[in-house]
Amino acid sequence: MDEEIDKILYDAETIQARVAELAARITEDYRGEELTVVAVLTGALIFTADLLRRIPLPLKLDCVSVASYHGAAETSGEVKFDQLSLPDIEGRHVLIVDDILDSGLTLDAIMAKFHKDCGPLSVRICVLLSKRRARRKEIAADYVGFEIENEFVVGYGMDYLEKYRNLRYVGVLAERIK
Ligand code: IMP
Ligand code: MG
C-alpha cells in the first residue's frame, strides 16, 4: 500500500503525540461530568480507540453510522443514518468523534439529529483533521488534531474505496490511484 501514497502528512509518532494532547484537554474539560463519546463509523474507529485509552474518565462509548460519500471522493450532499436506534444520550454531555471535518455536512446532520431527537445536555465535536476549505455547513470542531489543506487523505482510519484504513500514518493518495 505504501507505494500508492504520494506523501506522508503525519507519521504514527506525530499522530500519537497529538492524540495525547487532545486527550489531556478533553480529560480536563469533562472531569466530574457524565460523558458519552459517540464515534462516527467507520473512519473514526482507530482515532477513537487511541484517544479513549488516554482519557481516564468513567465515560460511555457509542457509535453512529452515517453515509454521504457512496465511495466517491466528493460528498453527495445527502446524509443518511444507517441505524435504526440512535444512541441513548439523554441528559448526557456528548463528544462526537470523527476522522475529518470536510464539507461539514456529516457533523452538522449528526448534531442536528441529536439535538432534535436525543435530548443531550451538550454536544461537542472532536476531529483528527480539519480541512481548510469553504464548508457547506458552517460548523466548527471544538477539538482539532491538525488543520490540513483541501486534499484527499487516507490512513489512520480514513479510506479511499474502503482501502488504506489500516495505515499507521495519514498520507495523500497518489493521483494515479484516484
Ligand atoms: P463532510 O460531511 O464532507 O464533512 O465529510 C466528512 C466525512 O467524509 C468524514 O467523516 C470522512 O469519512 C469523509 N472524508 C472527507 N474527506 C476525506 C478525505 O480526505 N479522506 C477520506 N475520507 C474523507
Ligand atoms: Mg466518516
Side-chain angles (χ1 to χ4, degrees), residues 49-161:
D50 283 346
L51 186 72
L52 287 202
R53 284 176 294 173
R54 294 178 183 274
I55 302 177
L57 299 176
L59 53 81
K60 291 187 186 176
L61 173 62
D62 214 326
C63 301
V64 282
S65 182
V66 293
S68 68
Y69 259 58
H70 308 295
E74 181 50 43
T75 186
S76 65
E78 179 206 345
V79 177
K80 188 172 119 265
F81 284 78
D82 292 346
Q83 253 168 334
L84 292 176
S85 65
L86 286 164
D88 181 10
I89 51 172
E90 196 175 338
R92 306 215 20 121
H93 292 288
V94 175
L95 181 65
I96 303 172
V97 178
D98 204 356
D99 48 3
I100 184 163
L101 177 56
D102 185 14
S103 73
L105 287 169
T106 305
L107 286 166
D108 181 72
I110 295 170
M111 274 277 218
K113 183 89 174 159
F114 283 3
H115 281 303
K116 181 171 162 282
D117 295 336
C118 304
L121 262 187
S122 71
V123 184
R124 283 189 193 158
I125 291 172
C126 173
V127 289
L128 180 73
L129 304 175
S130 173
K131 278 191 199 176
R132 273 190 208 102
R133 58 163 284 185
R135 308 238 185 271
R136 290 172 68 182
K137 291 284 180 184
E138 258 334 302
I139 189 156
D142 302 278
Y143 306 93
V144 176
F146 305 98
E147 299 252 2
I148 63 167
E149 295 310 316
N150 190 12
E151 52 190 357
F152 197 81
V153 296
V154 294
Y156 197 67
M158 287 168 286
D159 74 307
Y160 177 64
L161 301 177

